Amino acid sequence: MHAFLRHTLLFLFASLSAPFAYADLQTSQGSATITPVVERLKGPWAFAFLPNGELLITEKRGKLLHVNASGKRSTVKGLPAIHVQGQGGLLDVIVARDFAQSRTIFLTYAKKQEGGAGTAVMRARLSEDGKKLTEQRQIFEMAAGSSGGRHFGSRIVQDNDGMLFLSIGERGDRPSAQNLARHEGSIVRITPNGEVSSGNPFVTTSGAQGEIWSYGHRNPQGLALDLSGRLWAVEHGAKGGDELNLIEKGANYGWPVISYGTHYSGFKIGEGTAKPGMKQPQFYWDPSIAPSGLMIYSGKLWPQWKGDFFVGSLKFDYISRLSGPVPREVEQLRGDSTKRVRDVREGPSGGIWFLSEDKGTLYRMTPGG
């Protein structure tokens, strides 16, 4: 074969088989290179990093995908029964801090219940080849009684002590977010085995759900620890009033009594924007951006962004960067790849990874040049 033709064919083959990287996103720190890592996803919701360059990706319709370091994907077997309705389905996934020893992962999902459906958590062991789950055990489900397909939450994080925090939306039942007898509209804290911690704020409160850590939330779809180990959440408001909140033990975040948004009808929500005993957001968006996914950056590749917040926008197709002692939106990272950003996480090497729901693609962002 002629050398020129051989080289041309090799170039074309490499172009087809490798991800195509392109710098299409300008930032305050210069050009960023966006690389599609996994494409042709259907309704992606969350992703997690495994050792040796492997990934787990959830699709809301009820599929968990394993992607090996060479990009080959397989469907992981052994999931629980997933209730797919509206915003419910297979939702978040995280890898346990002791994964190297235990191979434990945690999944959140919508589960069929008497009277409707609710958010649940499963703990399982991932096989060595990444193709199946074993030792599956449901370790939490919210108290039954919610119907409809709205506001399941649901992000999960594990703190430095191994405790799990799970966000649960109020399921469209607004008053329930102020009712400690219900899990709706709360962030719960449980042990890795699903037990109620004795350090939770309402374990001795008569009639309260002992798992509740904070309440008065509408629909938190972003949850992350900052560099000091503090817990933060972003949640959907109604028409306006999406919030970034610093989550504190036993705190009431006000929904639906106070809000910076209005009902979609235009009517006022509750009693206004503030009330004694109810927490104010650290920042709010108006108009709403529909926030999903939250990452607080280490500064590994962009030192100037150390400690900054990165939040996906489902509505306006960008990644919001917030900065400062009192966080404020200072930049919108926007490009062809940022269509309906569902999840944002920092990669092992410091890249900023994000899922575009509309593009059906998991992207990696690194400094350009």
Side-chain angles (χ1 to χ4, degrees), residues 50-124:
L50 295 167
N52 305 315
E54 299 181 332
L55 295 161
L56 292 173
I57 303 174
T58 63
E59 294 181 334
K60 187 168 71 69
R61 60 183 177 152
K63 272 196 173 184
L64 177 64
L65 302 176
H66 173 264
V67 183
N68 69 16
S70 64
K72 183 179 180 181
R73 74 182 78 184
S74 57
T75 300
V76 181
K77 297 179 179 178
L79 290 179
I82 308 292
H83 180 72
V84 181
Q85 179 189 11
Q87 296 169 4
L90 181 59
L91 303 172
D92 209 3
V93 56
I94 63 167
V95 172
R97 289 185 177 273
D98 66 351
F99 180 84
Q101 293 76 41
S102 69
R103 296 197 64 83
T104 296
I105 68 168
F106 300 96
L107 294 163
T108 75
Y109 57 99
K111 176 185 177 180
K112 187 71 174 175
Q113 297 177 312
E114 183 179 352
T119 305
V121 180
M122 187 180 79
R123 172 186 176 134

Side-chain angles (χ1 to χ4, degrees), residues 26 30 69 84 95 119 182 209 218 221-222 227 295:
Q26 295 300 315
V84 181
V95 172
T119 305
R182 307 278 294 274
Q209 298 288 348
R218 186 173 183 268
Q221 288 193 341
L227 305 186
M295 179 269 286

Side-chain angles (χ1 to χ4, degrees), residues 189-217:
R189 177 178 180 257
I190 55 176
T191 72
N193 292 317
E195 297 151 353
V196 176
S197 169
S198 59
N200 281 7
F202 302 111
V203 289
T204 60
T205 301
S206 177
Q209 298 288 348
E211 297 91 351
I212 293 176
W213 184 257
S214 65
Y215 65 109
H217 301 285

Side-chain angles (χ1 to χ4, degrees), residues 285-353:
W285 289 267
D286 190 7
S288 295
I289 67 167
S292 186
L294 169 64
M295 179 269 286
I296 302 171
Y297 190 58
S298 73
K300 195 168 187 177
L301 295 182
W302 290 275
Q304 300 86 345
W305 290 347
K306 183 176 181 179
D308 286 1
F309 296 71
F310 291 78
V311 180
S313 168
L314 294 168
K315 184 176 180 181
F316 292 128
D317 300 332
Y318 69 87
I319 299 172
S320 174
R321 181 171 73 87
L322 299 96
S323 188
V326 179
R328 294 292 180 264
E329 184 177 91
V330 296
E331 185 171 13
Q332 296 177 358
L333 303 173
R334 189 191 304 270
D336 184 62
S337 56
T338 61
K339 307 296 184 185
R340 278 187 68 83
V341 175
R342 174 60 74 177
D343 196 12
V344 187
R345 308 200 183 198
E346 181 176 346
S349 300
I352 295 174
W353 294 56

Side-chain angles (χ1 to χ4, degrees), residues 111-120 138 140-148 152 168 170-171 173 176 179 181-184 209 211:
K111 176 185 177 180
K112 187 71 174 175
Q113 297 177 312
E114 183 179 352
T119 305
Q138 177 190 295
F140 172 83
E141 70 173 285
M142 61 182 287
S146 294
S147 61
F152 288 89
I168 303 173
E170 35 79 301
R171 301 288 285 106
D173 179 3
S176 67
N179 185 353
R182 307 278 294 274
H183 286 116
E184 286 93 333
Q209 298 288 348
E211 297 91 351

Side-chain angles (χ1 to χ4, degrees), residues 254-269:
W255 179 260
V257 180
I258 60 172
S259 174
Y260 283 89
T262 62
H263 291 299
Y264 291 106
S265 64
F267 285 103
K268 176 182 173 181
I269 292 173

